[in-house]
C-alpha cells in the first residue's frame, strides 16, 4: 500500500514526472539550560515539547530566517498551507537575486522560490519531510538547518527546549539498501559503475572461478591499452532503468566481488543520487503531486471533500515512519570554528 502512494505498475518511470522527493528527518527534543524546565502545574516542559513546537505555527505562518553571506539575518516567508490533526504542510520560500536582461541593462529582482515541508508531530511521533528543491540548490539539509536554527530561536528562550532535526540514515548492506531504494521507494536505477584498482597491487581475489575469469578479461583489456585502472560502466537509456537484483547470479557475483575485496561500486538512482557500497544512505521518499494536492485542498482526486483523517498523505506519513524506524539517526560532526585572521 505504501508503494502505491508514489508508484504505478503501468509505467513507474513516467510517474516520476509527477513526483516530489522528500528527505526524512527525526525530531529530537532536549532540555536547554535551567530556564522554564517546569510548568506552573509541576509538569516538565520537555514532556509537552511537541505542543510547544505547534505554537510556532499559530496564525498560519512561522518565523523563519536564514543568515546571508554578510552574516545578516534575512526573514523568509513560511506559510502553513494546511493543518490536519498531527500533520501540517509548510511552504518555505528562499530569497534569491535574479538578473533579468532588459534591453541594454541587467536588472536585479528578488525571486521567492520555495519548497514544501511536511511536519508530523505528536507526543510519540516526530518526523519532518523536506522537499528536495532547486529553490535551495536541491539540498534539504540547508532547509533543515534554517528551520532548526529558527525554531530554537523561540523554543530555547521561551521554553528551555532545544530541538534537533536529524536525518534518517540507512546502514543496511548493499543489497538491502538497493532493494529498499529501488523497490520499496520506487527509485529507478540509471547507472551502475564498478571501479577496479591498480591490478598490479591485487595479490588475491575472493571470488568464484567464473567471476575471476570475467575480471581477468577486464585486466587483459586494461593491459593491452596500457591502462593502470579499469572499470565497468553500465547505463540505462534516457527513460529506462537497470535491473539490479541479487537473484541475477552473474551480477550478484560481480557485486559480491566488489564488496568482498574492497572495490568501489556506485549505484546512481534517479531520485537519491549516488549510493556507494559501505556508506550510510539518507532516507529519501517520493510523494506524488496528486497525494500532496489532495491534502492541501482537502479534496480527494474524485472531487469529494473530506474532513476526516483519511487523506492518503496520513497513510504515507505513517508508512514513512514505519520504514525508517530501524534507520539510524544522523550524528553530524560538529563544525569547527573558523580561526580569526590577525593582521
Amino acid at each position: 500500500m505504501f508503494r502505491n502512494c508514489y508508484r504505478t505498475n503501468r509505467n513507474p518511470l513516467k510517474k516520476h514526472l509527477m513526483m516530489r522527493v522528500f528527505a526524512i528527518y527525526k525530531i529530537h527534543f532536549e532540555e536547554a539550560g535551567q530556564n522554564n524546565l517546569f510548568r506552573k502545574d509541576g509538569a516538565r516542559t520537555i514532556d509537552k515539547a511537541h505542543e510547544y513546537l505547534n505554537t510556532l505555527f499559530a496564525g498560519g505562518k512561522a518565523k523563519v530566517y536564514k543568515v546571508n553571506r554578510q552574516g545578516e539575518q534575512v526573514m523568509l516567508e513560511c506559510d502553513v498551507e494546511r493543518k490536519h490533526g498531527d500533520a501540517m504542510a509548510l511552504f518555505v520560500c528562499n530569497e534569491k537575486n535574479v538578473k533579468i536582461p532588459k534591453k541594454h541593462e541587467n536588472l536585479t529582482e528578488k525571486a521567492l522560490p520555495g519548497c514544501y515541508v511536511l511536519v508530523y508531530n505528536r507526543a510519540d511521533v516526530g518526523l519532518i519531510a523536506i522537499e528536495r528543491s532547486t529553490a535551495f540548490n536541491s539540498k534539504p539539509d540547508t532547509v533543515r538547518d534554517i528551520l532548526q536554527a529558527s525554531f530554537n530561536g523561540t523554543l530555547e528562550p521561551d521554553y528551555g527546549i532545544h530541538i534537533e532535526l536529524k536525518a534518517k540514515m540507512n546502514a543496511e548492506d548493499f543489497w538491502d539498501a538497493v532493494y529498499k531504494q529501488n523497490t520499496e521507494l520506487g527509485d529507478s536505477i540509471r547507472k551502475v559503475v564498478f571501479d577496479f584498482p591498480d591490478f598490479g597491487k591485487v595479490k588475491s581475489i575472493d571470488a568464484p572461478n567464473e567471476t575471476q575469469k570475467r575480471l581477468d578479461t577486464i585486466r587483459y583489456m586494461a593491459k593491452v591499452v596500457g591502462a593502470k585502472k579499469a572499470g565497468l560502466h553500465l547505463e540505462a537509456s534516457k527513460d529506462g532503468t537497470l535491473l539490479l537484483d541479487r537473484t541475477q547470479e552473474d551480477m550478484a557475483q560481480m557485486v559480491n566481488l566488489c564488496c568482498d575485496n574492497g572495490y568501489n561500486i556506485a549505484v546512481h538512482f534517479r531520485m537519491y543520487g549516488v549510493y556507494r557500497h559501505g556508506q550510510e544512505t539518507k532516507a529519501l521518499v517520493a510523494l506524488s503531486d496528486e497525494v500532496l494536492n489532495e491534502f492541501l485542498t482537502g479534496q480527494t482526486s474524485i472531487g469529494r471533500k473530506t474532513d476526516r483523517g483519511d487523506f492518503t498523505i496520513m497513510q504515507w506519513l505513517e508508512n514513512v515512519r514505519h520504514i525508517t524506524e530501524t534507520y539510524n539517526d544522523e550524528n553530524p560532526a560538529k563544525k569547527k570554528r573558523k580561526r580569526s585572521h590577525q593582521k
Side-chain angles (χ1 to χ4, degrees):
M1 295 177 71
F2 183 34
R3 301 173 195 170
N4 291 337
C5 294
Y6 46 79
R7 195 175 187 186
T8 174
N9 292 329
R10 294 180 180 178
N11 190 345
L13 293 174
K14 186 175 181 180
K15 191 69 173 178
H16 283 296
L17 299 177
M18 303 169 61
M19 310 302 286
R20 297 174 186 268
V21 179
F22 288 81
I24 309 302
Y25 299 83
K26 176 69 176 176
I27 301 174
H28 286 263
F29 295 110
E30 59 185 36
E31 295 175 343
Q34 298 297 318
N35 296 328
N36 303 318
L37 295 185
F38 293 91
R39 307 193 316 168
K40 292 181 180 180
D41 59 5
R44 297 178 69 87
T45 56
I46 193 68
D47 296 331
K48 297 292 184 179
H50 67 287
E51 295 181 9
Y52 298 133
L53 177 60
N54 282 335
T55 65
L56 303 184
F57 311 105
K61 288 185 178 292
K63 183 180 179 181
V64 172
Y65 58 86
K66 72 174 182 179
V67 179
N68 63 19
R69 294 179 180 178
Q70 290 72 41
E72 304 167 331
Q73 285 190 358
V74 178
M75 298 303 300
L76 302 178
E77 291 189 23
C78 179
D79 297 325
V80 181
E81 296 207 347
R82 175 71 170 170
K83 188 179 188 307
H84 182 84
D86 301 311
M88 71 180 77
L90 313 177
F91 192 77
V92 182
C93 293
N94 198 1
E95 187 174 292
K96 292 186 175 183
N97 292 324
V98 179
K99 290 186 177 180
I100 300 177
K102 288 187 177 181
K103 292 187 176 180
H104 302 294
E105 296 182 287
N106 285 326
L107 302 182
T108 300
E109 294 188 7
K110 287 185 178 180
L112 297 175
C115 71
Y116 281 102
V117 175
L118 305 176
V119 181
Y120 193 31
N121 177 42
R122 65 176 194 244
D124 58 333
V125 175
L127 283 181
I128 287 186
I130 300 175
E131 182 185 4
R132 190 173 69 180
S133 167
T134 55
F136 292 92
N137 301 319
S138 298
K139 295 179 180 180
D141 280 359
T142 298
V143 183
R144 183 271 310 273
D145 293 343
I146 290 172
L147 294 177
Q148 184 172 281
S150 301
F151 294 165
N152 280 323
T154 299
L155 292 176
E156 289 184 359
D158 289 358
Y159 304 105
I161 294 171
H162 178 80
I163 188 173
E164 284 194 27
L165 308 177
K166 297 185 178 183
K168 299 297 290 184
M169 308 293 292
N170 184 7
E172 294 175 316
D173 70 16
F174 177 87
W175 285 113
D176 289 339
V178 170
Y179 176 83
K180 186 160 288 186
Q181 190 66 31
N182 178 225
T183 304
E184 291 192 1
L185 303 184
D187 195 355
S188 58
I189 300 172
R190 64 181 186 86
K191 183 166 59 177
V192 178
V193 178
F194 299 88
D195 286 322
F196 302 107
D198 186 346
F199 286 116
K201 296 180 180 179
V202 178
K203 301 303 180 182
S204 61
I205 299 294
D206 181 11
N209 290 334
E210 289 300 318
T211 305
Q212 291 199 40
K213 289 180 180 178
R214 295 188 182 93
L215 188 59
D216 286 340
T217 300
I218 297 175
R219 189 201 310 262
Y220 173 75
M221 295 299 296
K223 183 178 180 180
V224 167
V225 298
K228 182 179 180 180
K229 299 180 180 180
L232 180 62
H233 186 120
L234 308 173
E235 188 165 352
S237 61
K238 182 178 179 181
D239 296 322
T241 184
L242 297 180
L243 302 176
L244 189 59
D245 194 305
R246 73 173 82 205
T247 61
Q248 299 167 327
E249 186 175 351
D250 290 341
M251 180 58 68
Q253 288 181 358
M254 284 296 292
V255 169
N256 293 338
L257 169 69
C258 290
C259 294
D260 294 340
N261 294 279
Y263 297 163
N264 297 322
I265 175 172
V267 182
H268 296 246
F269 291 98
R270 294 189 185 277
M271 292 191 306
Y272 178 81
V274 183
Y275 164 69
R276 291 182 172 83
H277 164 61
Q279 74 175 35
E280 286 190 320
T281 61
K282 283 190 176 180
L284 292 179
V285 185
L287 177 67
S288 72
D289 281 344
E290 180 182 6
V291 172
L292 178 60
N293 290 334
E294 175 196 86
F295 181 66
L296 295 175
T297 62
Q299 185 169 309
T300 64
S301 58
I302 59 175
R304 176 175 59 84
K305 283 189 173 293
T306 175
D307 290 322
R308 301 176 302 172
D310 55 357
F311 291 110
T312 309
I313 204 168
M314 303 302 291
Q315 176 190 340
W316 183 86
L317 288 167
E318 270 298 308
N319 281 297
V320 167
R321 180 173 74 93
H322 174 71
I323 282 182
T324 61
E325 65 184 355
T326 58
Y327 286 16
N328 296 329
D329 292 340
E330 181 186 30
N331 187 19
K334 293 183 178 180
K335 295 182 180 179
K336 296 181 179 180
R337 293 182 179 180
K338 293 183 179 180
R339 295 181 179 177
S340 59
H341 296 281
Q342 296 181 351
K343 294 182 178 180

